[in-house]
Amino acid sequence: MSVTLFPGVAVVTGAGGTGIGAAVARAFAAAGCQRIAITDLNGSTLQRTQEAINAAHPGVQIFAQAGNVADDHFAESFIGAVVKKFGRVDYAVNCAGILGQSLRSAETGIEEFDRVNGVNYRGCWLSSRAELKQMVKQDALCSHDPKRPAQRGAVVNIASQLGIVSRPTAPSYCASKAAVIGMTRADAVDYSKDGIRVNCVCPGVIETPMIMENPAVRETITPAAEIAPMKRMGQPAEVADAALFLCSTQASFVQGHVMVVDGGYVTV
Ligand SMILES: NC(=O)c1ccc[n+]([C@@H]2O[C@H](COP(=O)([O-])OP(=O)(O)OC[C@H]3O[C@@H](n4cnc5c(N)ncnc54)[C@H](O)[C@@H]3O)[C@@H](O)[C@H]2O)c1
């Protein structure tokens, strides 16, 4: 078997279904990661991700546990269960997220603001906090390149191009993703001394259930893909590959980075 860039343990939130998180989990398996923990609010789509990976990569061990990242205690208990099963957490990709209702600020209720931020920002913070707590106390793994430092862990938060630029009627969502970018940079500053890298990926318009399954959302958001120079929607696998690069020791000097994967949308 060829040497993998991912000898450690991967954790992916929002990994149910056919969206970005599921693509990240599949990409880890395809890249030779042998121990992958996945979670999602939706237990049945999570099971489908597990079955798809088991079918394509029978040797890979999958630990799947459904739960709500917005819950105060779920992330800690999930990471505790991952460590019990696999011993450590090396690569954590936090994908769980929701779009929220299409409203301007004056029409947005506090409940809706809290719901969106509770999953996208607070839920991402709770997940990365639990992952970082584990990473700081584990031994570092050797790099693929003996000249580079060993890595104690890598966190990748999935933010959005809408954390950088905005679109109409999405103040809670845009702000929640800008918060993820700020949190990523702050954690990168704090955890560099521990041999942990923290980066984020900002996808553009990606063809996932979040965009495609609700006709109103599909009609509003998919035309935005035409604004990007590449004039198409991205595929979940294209975001997954960026996340895997940032997790790998090939990205050993990439820290606090905001990697935009949007077909050039924010450049025009
Ligand atoms: N699709 C896009 O165009 C796009 C663009 C930019 C950013 N993003 C971000 O990428 C991430 C993945 O989105 P996607 O497009 O794959 O959407 P998706 O709806 O296909 O996947 C999101 C997953 O998160 C899960 N989830 C939702 N709330 C949760 C909770 N409280 N706890 C645990 N799991 C929860 C859902 O069940 C779902 O499986 C999100 O953070 C999203 O904001 C998506």
Side-chain angles (χ1 to χ4, degrees):
M1 198 177 122
S2 61
V3 175
T4 177
L5 279 170
F6 303 102
V9 175
V11 166
V12 187
T13 77
T18 55
I20 292 167
V24 170
R26 287 197 305 272
F28 271 120
C33 186
Q34 294 290 303
R35 294 168 292 171
I36 304 170
I38 55 176
T39 183
D40 199 285
L41 187 61
N42 185 327
S44 52
T45 61
L46 186 66
Q47 195 184 333
R48 285 208 282 282
T49 301
Q50 178 169 18
E51 287 164 359
I53 296 175
N54 283 338
H57 308 279
V60 174
Q61 294 182 66
I62 305 283
F63 174 70
Q65 189 176 86
N68 183 354
V69 297
D71 180 289
D72 281 2
H73 306 290
F74 174 69
E76 298 257 342
S77 85
F78 174 61
I79 294 300
V82 174
V83 173
K84 200 165 172 208
K85 171 88 178 155
F86 290 144
R88 53 189 294 127
V89 172
D90 294 284
Y91 328 107
V93 185
N94 297 312
C95 304
I98 54 173
L99 204 48
Q101 294 170 11
S102 200
L103 296 167
R104 294 193 297 171
S105 277
E107 290 82 44
T108 302
I110 292 170
E111 215 173 88
E112 174 65 1
F113 178 89
D114 286 345
R115 187 176 76 88
V116 172
N117 280 280
V119 178
N120 293 0
Y121 172 28
R122 195 168 175 277
C124 189
W125 177 71
L126 287 166
S127 302
S128 61
R129 183 179 71 154
E131 294 147 7
L132 289 164
K133 274 189 194 180
Q134 169 55 31
M135 287 173 181
V136 290
K137 61 186 184 200
Q138 66 195 18
D139 292 337
L141 284 189
C142 292
S143 168
H144 72 288
D145 171 358
K147 294 200 185 89
R148 302 190 202 190
Q151 173 169 291
R152 190 163 276 118
V155 175
V156 175
N157 298 314
I158 303 299
S160 172
Q161 70 178 14
L162 292 178
I164 299 169
V165 295
S166 201
R167 78 166 180 88
T169 65
S172 307
Y173 184 84
C174 293
S176 73
K177 294 301 188 175
V180 169
I181 293 171
M183 177 182 77
T184 298
R185 290 178 169 144
D187 284 339
V189 169
D190 284 339
Y191 289 94
S192 288
K193 67 177 169 50
D194 299 290
I196 298 168
R197 293 179 306 100
V198 187
N199 292 287
C200 67
V201 173
C202 290
V205 183
I206 310 299
E207 197 172 345
T208 71
M210 178 182 276
I211 305 298
M212 304 309 284
E213 278 182 2
N214 177 331
V217 171
R218 190 172 63 229
E219 275 159 37
T220 319
I221 293 186
T222 56
E226 287 298 311
I227 297 168
M230 293 182 80
K231 299 209 177 302
R232 66 170 174 88
M233 282 189 276
Q235 294 303 312
E238 295 178 291
V239 180
D241 283 348
L244 260 68
F245 166 70
L246 292 171
C247 285
S248 80
T249 49
Q250 286 183 330
S252 51
F253 202 48
V254 183
Q255 181 64 302
H257 184 54
V258 181
M259 182 177 280
V260 181
V261 180
D262 71 344
Y265 186 100
V266 304
T267 62
V268 291

